[in-house]
Amino acid sequence: MRVLVVEDDVRAAETVRRMLISDGWSVVTARDGAEGLWQATEHDFDVIVLDIMLPKLNGYEVIKGLRGKQVWTPVLMLSAKDGEYDQAEALDYGADDYLIKPFSVVVLKARLRALLRRGVRERPAVLSAGSLTLNPSDHGVHRDDAPIKLTPREYSVLEFLMRNKGRVVTKTEIMQAIWDENYEGDVNIVEVYIRYLRKRIDIPFGANSIQTIRGAGYCLADD
């Protein structure tokens, strides 16, 4: 999943970035409100983590700008302000949730998962493709009743494919959605992870859910 973190505190932003990357997220960071607003309107994200106290544009101005431009990406606002009026103001401007600093990493992850489940696009509680299922709430993957263990990166690639089931996605689309913005390697790394996934979710079960569309990309289909 792809997240935008708008935070001017370099240390805090890096902590959140590393924490999310370790769970397989693709993370883009912005250091001020103006950059955050531009990133959020020019690129697609699954969720936005937005601080309130920012240079150039504060968080309230950013969320107001996003909603004014009809950008409905779920937004989790962060703030050291714990007053009820501060929280109410953020929600009234269009934020979807509010988390007070300092916060627990476990709670932040849970809040983001909750936002994804009730996001602007329809997000079923459990994703499925034939006998293959993926539960975003606990990262559980099963083929029929058999659990499948995946690395965080393998899981993220599979989740992206399942959320785009039936649609051909290119290597570049997968790369942009899954890999960190600072990754400078070859896009063919996607082929490597597709191969890893097939060895875990298809081959042992005699299935062929991940299909290669020559010259175009990959498509996840019901088996």
Side-chain angles (χ1 to χ4, degrees):
M1 303 305 291
R2 187 169 167 85
V3 59
L4 172 64
V5 177
V6 189
E7 170 64 78
D8 65 322
D9 184 324
V10 176
R11 181 175 295 180
E14 182 62 14
T15 297
V16 173
R17 189 184 76 86
R18 289 180 179 276
M19 175 266 294
L20 293 176
I21 287 174
S22 69
D23 268 8
W25 291 70
S26 173
V27 183
V28 174
T29 57
R31 296 289 185 252
D32 60 65
E35 182 187 358
L37 180 59
W38 180 84
Q39 288 280 4
T41 53
E42 293 296 317
H43 304 286
D44 291 329
F45 296 93
D46 295 286
V47 67
I48 298 169
V49 177
L50 176 65
D51 192 22
I52 289 181
M53 302 302 293
L54 293 166
K56 298 185 180 180
L57 296 175
N58 64 40
Y60 298 129
E61 294 172 311
V62 173
I63 189 70
K64 186 177 180 181
L66 288 175
R67 300 318 185 215
K69 293 177 180 292
Q70 305 294 301
V71 176
W72 304 111
T73 307
V75 173
L76 171 62
M77 296 199 80
L78 304 177
S79 178
K81 298 181 177 182
D82 59 358
E84 59 184 13
Y85 289 105
D86 297 308
Q87 298 181 50
E89 186 174 15
L91 295 171
D92 286 343
Y93 271 124
D96 299 276
D97 202 355
Y98 189 102
L99 190 58
I100 298 168
K101 297 178 179 180
F103 50 82
S104 160
V105 168
V106 174
V107 171
L108 175 61
K109 290 179 180 180
R111 294 285 186 89
L112 292 178
R113 290 196 298 269
L115 287 181
L116 289 175
R117 289 196 298 272
R118 65 175 190 261
V120 63
R121 291 175 290 176
E122 183 180 354
R123 296 176 184 273
V126 177
L127 305 176
S128 64
S131 61
L132 182 68
T133 60
L134 180 149
N135 189 337
S137 66
D138 62 7
H139 284 199
V141 177
H142 292 77
R143 173 74 77 179
D144 292 322
D145 294 325
I148 300 173
K149 186 175 182 179
L150 302 176
T151 67
R153 183 83 60 173
E154 290 167 352
Y155 173 89
S156 294
V157 174
L158 178 60
E159 183 179 16
F160 181 79
L161 291 173
M162 293 190 77
R163 290 194 183 278
N164 290 275
K165 185 178 72 171
R167 183 174 76 86
V168 178
V169 292
T170 66
K171 293 178 187 177
T172 299
E173 284 182 276
I174 298 173
M175 174 73 76
Q176 291 177 343
I178 306 302
W179 269 258
D180 180 65
E181 61 179 329
N182 297 317
Y183 180 75
E184 297 180 350
D186 195 314
V187 71
N188 287 325
I189 187 67
V190 172
E191 292 183 15
V192 175
Y193 278 87
I194 292 295
R195 187 164 63 248
Y196 290 163
L197 275 177
R198 283 180 171 140
K199 289 180 179 179
R200 286 163 172 74
I201 70 170
D202 279 349
I203 294 174
F205 303 94
N208 184 33
S209 55
I210 302 179
Q211 300 175 1
T212 298
I213 311 301
R214 190 173 298 276
Y218 303 98
C219 180
L220 187 77
D222 292 325
D223 50 27

